[in-house]
Structures are given as structure tokens and as C-alpha cells.
Amino acid sequence: MKWGVLIISILLFNTVATFMKKRLKTSEIYTTVIFGLLVSSLVDVYASFRYNAWGFFEVEKAELSAILVLLGIYPAATIMIINWYPYKCTWKLKLTYLMGWAIFSTSYEWLSIKSGVIWHNNWNLFYSFVMYPFIYYILILHVKFYRWMQQRR
């Protein structure tokens, strides 16, 4: 079941990310995806091996199959999050947007746990739900920082 969930997710996420109307520059998307991959890889490795909090597939193993999650899911999700973010709307709409993604992500994480793609040990879904809005806002801040840097050129 885990491979079915993972493959369908990769195909669905990447199809949406590829064919959606892009509101950001390619350079903004690219740099934010790379930034997101760097941060998530560091956090995932540290959480998995230092604290044994969560990981992918097998407990206490570094597996090549985890790369499918890192490169198949994370970039596409990052693209959707930063592309659809309501940059010019009220803070209430921005907060609602981030909370909507937190609900979606927590639900997807639950499905990933049930299917065996992810395991939790010293972690739970409530922690994830609380952290997701902050994580996603860091991606938004990165887009803004990149734009600021480009203006200074």
C-alpha cells in the first residue's frame, strides 16, 4: 500500500505543480524549492537520527527510497504553496491559507503513516499541525527575501 500511495502522490502532486498557472518567476520557484529541500533534509535527518522522532519507511535506517519523498513530493508541494499564496491579500486570508495547507498536510501525513511511508516515534500529528504554518511561512519569507535581493542588484 505504501508504494501505491507514494507513486499516486508523486504523479498527482507533480502534475498539478507542472500544469498550474505560475504566478511566480521561475527563479523564485527554483531558489525556494532548493532552499526548502535543504532545510527539510537537515530537519528530517536530525529528527530521524538524533531524536528518533520520525522518518521514512524503515525505522532507524537511511534508505534510498526516502529520496522519492524528498524529490517527488517536497518540491511539488513547495511550488503549490508558494505559487498560490495570497501575497497581496489581508493577513486573515494569508493565515487562513496557511491553516488550510496545515490541515491538508496533516491529513496527508496521517495517510502516509497509515500506509507505511512515514513512521512516528517521539512525534505526533498535533505537533505537525502546529509546525506546518510556520514552515510554510518560512518558504513565503524566502520568496520575499529573494525578491528583495533581486531589487538590490
Side-chain angles (χ1 to χ4, degrees), residues 45-60:
V45 166
Y46 199 71
S48 295
F49 296 108
R50 173 77 171 142
Y51 292 108
N52 198 29
W54 73 79
F56 303 106
F57 299 100
E58 300 292 327
V59 177
E60 298 181 10

Side-chain angles (χ1 to χ4, degrees), residues 8-38:
I8 290 169
S9 297
I10 289 170
L11 291 173
L12 182 61
F13 280 41
N14 283 282
T15 299
V16 171
T18 300
F19 292 108
M20 70 181 181
K21 184 179 181 199
K22 305 297 188 297
R23 296 172 37 200
L24 301 176
K25 296 177 184 175
T26 304
S27 59
E28 293 170 332
I29 293 171
Y30 177 77
T31 57
T32 305
V33 166
I34 297 299
F35 171 78
L37 283 172
L38 171 67

